[in-house]
Amino acid sequence: MARSAMLLCPVLVLVLAAAASARVMDRVDGLPRGWQRQRAASPDDPIFLRIALKQQPERALALDQAVLDMSTPGHPNYGMHMTRDELRSYTAPSDTSVSVVTQWLREHAIQPWVDHDWVSFTTTVRIASELLDTQFAWYRYLEGTGAPVLRALAYSVPDRVAAHIDLVQPTTRFGHLGARRPTIFETFPLESGDDDAGPGTKNKFVEDDPSCALGVVTLSCLRFLYNIHYKPTASGANKVAFASFLEEYARYDDLATFEDVYMTGWQGLNFTVELVNGGDNDQHSKADSMEANLDAQYLLGISHPIPLVEYSVGGRGPLVPTANQPSPPGSNEPYLEFLLYMASLNDSALPQTISTSYGEEEQSVPRDYALKVCDMFKQLGARGVSVLFASGDSGPGNRCESNTNNATYFESTFPAGCPWVTAVGGTTGGTASNSPERAASFSSGGFSIYHAQPVWQRDAVGTYLEGIGQTYSQFFNRSGRGIPDISAQSQGFSVCNRGKWSSIGGTSASTPVVAGIVALLNAARKAQGKPPLGFLNPWLYNNSAAFTDITTGAAIGCASRAEFGGDGAWWNATTGWDPVTGLGTPLFDKLLELAAPGTNNA
């Protein structure tokens, strides 16, 4: 007996050593709500995986500082954006990281391909399970028609490998494949008043009112509110873009109808489409196209004749179901695929402004995924691209329940909570003479659970936090990045969709308006031989006087939580920055003078 034990001891030591050398990279504590294991995966089932390699720490810190420097007015490096190749010198993994990870894969008979800081490969479930010390299975969401997906409840990698990677995905990422609504808060049909009227018929509901007296937001109304009169010249070197996800496609016919009503003299302008990750441009799709049409019509309407690009992105991204969005509709948009595509573009092919009106609860997004995506938005800023995201339409939150302990907690949003993007909130009102704008009751705001409060907003957000004292302090992260940064009109937009007019509300509407304004500022800078604005936030917070401070109204949410007595939680609009309207709404003439001094706003 003793002899047998002695013979087994070396084997046991080896097993224990192997177990000790493996690091758990991610784990799902129980199958997420709504999911069911369908069956074991066949060993021969194919699986595609992608590994993010770590940046070299000193270069990562240097890149952070470089982007802040080039984005901060008054700094000697302000506006000195990087080329793609210059950026890659900062983001390149070490040769050791590439060698260790690729050698590890080859030890398992995997032939990877390396693209800078990403390693991709296709293998079988048997090999992937051995590689990641896990078991893949087919899982399916119980509701809806989504196809089963290959996932695992945890995965590990050897310690010698873990030090060189950020994530392996998709692995523990559960997400329903059905469509998820973007941040359109409300939609109402606009009646024509005449059953025989065509879609382009002008009437009191779609009339382009230059004084905003009718209460329907149109292009002339927006120009009146924000004093936008500058007209740039068309230039392919200055482009504005929007990203479309979830099989929504902007429609050429609807844009033409919109131009007939609101863009007299500019009819015939159009947008180009670039397909990303299997995206499409189905002009006869039976699916909804409201979000894509809203983006195209108001981006082009504000910023024309600057060239407009739609990035039609296929596929789905990872989602961790939460109490607030446990079932369809529910899926993250594939930001990672979109960002990899943008990173590959030549410098001349990049747009200078990107508007995106999609988002979700920050806690529903795996932390490693959220951090990696945010880092890639920073890389766009380094190349001179201004990235804007809708802040969302749920005030402090909807369900307001923490994933970790089911306690009441305000819901920050992703990707708006990333400090390297500009988050846009919503206002309403101001559509009658001498009537000021007020905070929209749905405008999402709050404080990130993943990202610390950046230096450029500490004074503004610190003043707000000092003002509210300990109010709600147990329900949000007081040291987190605050959103939104700025805001604009977000209710009552007249949009043509599939030949019919609708009134649209949500931060989906305010975001393309602000993006269109940024595109105009970039055009004015280009006319003076200046670089584009790039990452906006330090510039915005340094120039808060160029915004109308919104001090009335409130965003309301969390109505179901007992702590708030049935009235919900409120973020109030206050003097200075607040988590409803940010710094306020744009004063275009002041922004234009700051961006391109001496440019005539006419």
Side-chain angles (χ1 to χ4, degrees), residues 153-418:
L153 299 181
Y155 74 96
S156 303
V157 301
D159 277 340
R160 64 184 175 90
V161 174
H164 299 281
I165 70 174
D166 285 327
L167 57 83
V168 183
Q169 74 90 20
T171 45
T172 54
R173 319 300 196 246
F174 289 83
H176 189 260
L177 297 182
R180 178 184 188 272
R181 286 173 61 83
T183 58
I184 289 180
F185 178 71
E186 59 187 9
T187 304
F188 299 111
L190 292 177
E191 302 295 338
S192 69
D194 181 352
D195 291 340
D196 296 325
T201 302
K202 290 187 179 182
N203 54 62
K204 66 178 181 179
F205 295 104
V206 297
E207 182 179 328
D208 194 7
D209 175 28
S211 66
C212 301
L214 296 177
V216 177
V217 175
T218 65
L219 292 177
S220 290
C221 172
L222 291 167
R223 293 191 185 100
F224 169 78
L225 280 173
Y226 301 134
N227 194 19
I228 305 170
H229 303 294
Y230 171 70
K231 285 296 180 186
T233 58
S235 170
N238 179 40
K239 295 183 289 188
V240 61
F242 65 101
S244 291
F245 301 97
L246 307 179
E247 295 79 54
E248 283 214 17
Y249 315 113
R251 300 179 190 256
Y252 304 136
D253 289 347
D254 289 332
L255 178 60
T257 299
F258 182 87
E259 291 173 349
D260 285 342
V261 175
Y262 296 128
M263 297 176 63
T264 303
W266 291 97
Q267 291 96 326
L269 291 178
N270 212 332
F271 56 92
T272 59
V273 180
E274 295 188 26
L275 307 182
V276 181
N277 193 45
D280 202 352
N281 183 25
D282 185 357
Q283 290 295 303
H284 304 288
S285 170
K286 295 181 180 179
D288 188 33
S289 53
M290 186 70 79
E291 175 60 52
N293 276 335
L294 168 62
D295 288 336
Q297 290 166 25
Y298 280 87
L299 263 176
L300 188 71
I302 293 292
S303 65
H304 67 276
I306 298 170
L308 176 64
V309 180
E310 177 188 22
Y311 294 105
S312 179
V313 187
R316 308 287 196 209
L319 176 76
V320 177
T322 70
N324 189 53
Q325 46 186 50
S327 61
S331 176
N332 280 29
E333 291 70 43
Y335 300 116
L336 184 57
E337 289 80 1
F338 171 61
L339 287 164
L340 287 169
Y341 175 83
M342 300 303 294
S344 71
L345 292 178
N346 293 328
D347 299 320
S348 61
L350 275 179
Q352 285 62 54
T353 312
I354 301 176
S355 176
T356 310
S357 294
Y358 292 77
E360 47 258 305
E361 281 182 77
E362 192 176 42
Q363 68 171 343
S364 76
V365 181
R367 185 177 185 275
D368 58 355
Y369 182 90
L371 295 179
K372 189 64 179 180
V373 165
C374 186
D375 188 70
M376 296 180 76
F377 284 126
K378 174 183 66 182
Q379 294 174 30
L380 280 176
R383 296 177 69 185
V385 181
S386 301
V387 181
L388 299 98
F389 269 90
S391 70
D393 300 328
S394 57
N398 284 326
R399 182 80 175 259
C400 297
E401 182 175 292
S402 171
N403 259 5
T404 57
N405 58 9
N406 298 326
T408 298
Y409 203 78
F410 292 166
E411 298 160 1
S412 53
T413 57
F414 169 87
C418 169

Side-chain angles (χ1 to χ4, degrees), residues 458-468 575 577:
R458 284 178 188 165
D459 289 345
V461 175
T463 299
Y464 171 81
L465 291 172
E466 183 178 353
I468 67 170
T575 300
W577 181 94

